[in-house]
Amino acid sequence: MASNRKDIKYRAVENDSTQPAKHRGGLGFKIVSHLTFFLLGIVTYHFSNTATCLPTRSAPLLSPNLISIIPDALLEHNKIVRINGSLAFPSIYRGRGPEVDQAWLDLVQVGLLNLHVSTEQALKMGIDQNKIVRWPPASGGGYLLSLETFHQLHCVNLLRKTSYWNFDYYHARAEVEQDFQHLDQLPTHVDHCLEMVRQHLMCTADPTLISHHDVPEHELPWPDYSTVHHCRDFERIQAWARSIEIK
């Protein structure tokens, strides 16, 4: 195959990321493909790291002013993970139903935190001392805080629930699905979550290179989205947050 082929249109891959997917065509299929890769990328820590470990570089995601507040061990990118970017990867976080909902709940169910931050640190964080809420002394007296990662995952989960394929299921369960109890507010909530995810992805823009492969009997090259990353240890961050969570 010629290496200088112009105007190549890349399609998603099914099952194995170097093998061709069965063509289904249409805008809907393209949306499904991109949303699948997006969701899988957000929850990278869930995937296996048994593949070859390649050297990667990573930079802190936090402002330098915040690094002293979070334990050093939580900031390290010490997990080498190969993201599973195949189209039909059977992730527990895909689809709908009680098991899927519980898997997402296990990710994001971390309450408000009671974190002691000095006045100097609070000023560096841009905290307005006249507005921020403190816990009462009986509850520890720290600031009322939460972590970005759980809000971001909440947003991905809401996008999953409100997708065309899942909306009716969760709308029918509005009695227990709080986000579906006020449909007039739901579009604003969904748009907010889209914006949060977009801004975060652009802020942490991933320069990892994606290789493209020649596949026998197919004219076009196929992208391999199963790339290797150095990741923070999500479970460790989650455990730390729960250790200072207000019960």
Side-chain angles (χ1 to χ4, degrees):
M1 183 188 69
S3 60
N4 60 348
R5 184 183 296 131
K6 297 181 179 180
D7 300 324
I8 292 174
K9 294 182 179 180
Y10 299 116
R11 289 174 285 178
V13 287
E14 184 175 8
N15 296 326
D16 185 280
S17 57
T18 60
Q19 296 301 318
K22 294 181 180 179
H23 178 66
R24 294 175 57 182
L27 179 60
F29 177 62
K30 294 179 181 178
I31 293 175
V32 174
S33 302
H34 288 296
L35 182 59
T36 299
F37 297 135
F38 163 71
L39 293 177
L40 291 173
I42 290 291
V43 291
T44 56
Y45 57 85
H46 175 69
F47 305 132
S48 170
N49 61 353
T50 56
T52 303
C53 299
L54 304 178
T56 61
R57 293 180 296 175
S58 57
L61 303 182
L62 297 177
S63 161
N65 292 332
L66 304 183
I67 291 178
S68 63
I69 298 172
I70 308 297
D72 290 342
L74 303 183
L75 302 178
E76 297 174 355
H77 294 73
N78 54 12
K79 290 191 70 174
I80 300 178
V81 177
R82 181 178 290 277
I83 293 176
N84 192 319
S86 54
L87 183 62
F89 176 63
S91 169
I92 186 57
Y93 302 108
R94 297 175 60 151
R96 59 184 178 270
E99 290 186 1
V100 177
D101 293 337
Q102 186 60 52
W104 278 97
L105 191 62
D106 290 343
L107 288 182
V108 303
Q109 194 174 40
V110 177
L112 295 171
L113 310 181
N114 181 8
L115 186 61
H116 289 270
V117 179
S118 70
T119 301
E120 181 182 1
Q121 289 172 322
L123 290 173
K124 290 181 178 180
M125 291 174 65
I127 290 176
D128 188 335
Q129 298 286 323
N130 297 318
K131 293 182 179 180
I132 190 170
V133 176
R134 285 181 178 269
W135 293 102
S139 298
Y143 289 112
L144 191 157
L145 300 167
S146 56
L147 293 188
E148 277 274 18
T149 186
F150 302 119
H151 178 236
Q152 292 158 1
L153 285 169
H154 154 78
C155 277
V156 175
N157 192 28
L158 182 65
L159 297 178
R160 174 187 68 88
K161 290 181 177 180
T162 56
S163 70
Y164 176 85
W165 299 269
N166 295 334
F167 182 89
D168 289 344
Y169 174 85
Y170 289 103
H171 184 211
R173 293 168 47 83
E175 196 172 300
V176 294
E177 289 288 342
Q178 184 177 359
D179 293 324
F180 287 78
Q181 292 173 5
H182 303 283
L183 291 183
D184 59 323
Q185 301 173 16
L186 188 57
T188 300
H189 191 176
V190 171
D191 283 345
H192 157 75
C193 277
L194 282 169
E195 269 300 286
M196 290 300 298
V197 174
R198 178 193 66 79
Q199 291 178 75
H200 179 73
L201 290 176
M202 292 178 69
C203 175
T204 60
D206 187 349
T208 301
L209 299 176
I210 297 173
S211 60
H212 296 71
H213 303 264
D214 284 329
V215 178
E217 300 179 359
H218 285 264
E219 180 183 0
L220 302 179
W222 297 86
D224 181 0
Y225 290 110
S226 296
T227 53
V228 174
H229 290 70
H230 277 190
C231 302
R232 287 193 173 123
D233 190 331
F234 177 85
E235 287 81 7
R236 196 169 187 176
I237 293 173
Q238 188 182 58
W240 173 76
R242 285 177 172 163
S243 73
I244 58 173
E245 176 185 8
I246 294 295
K247 304 298 184 181

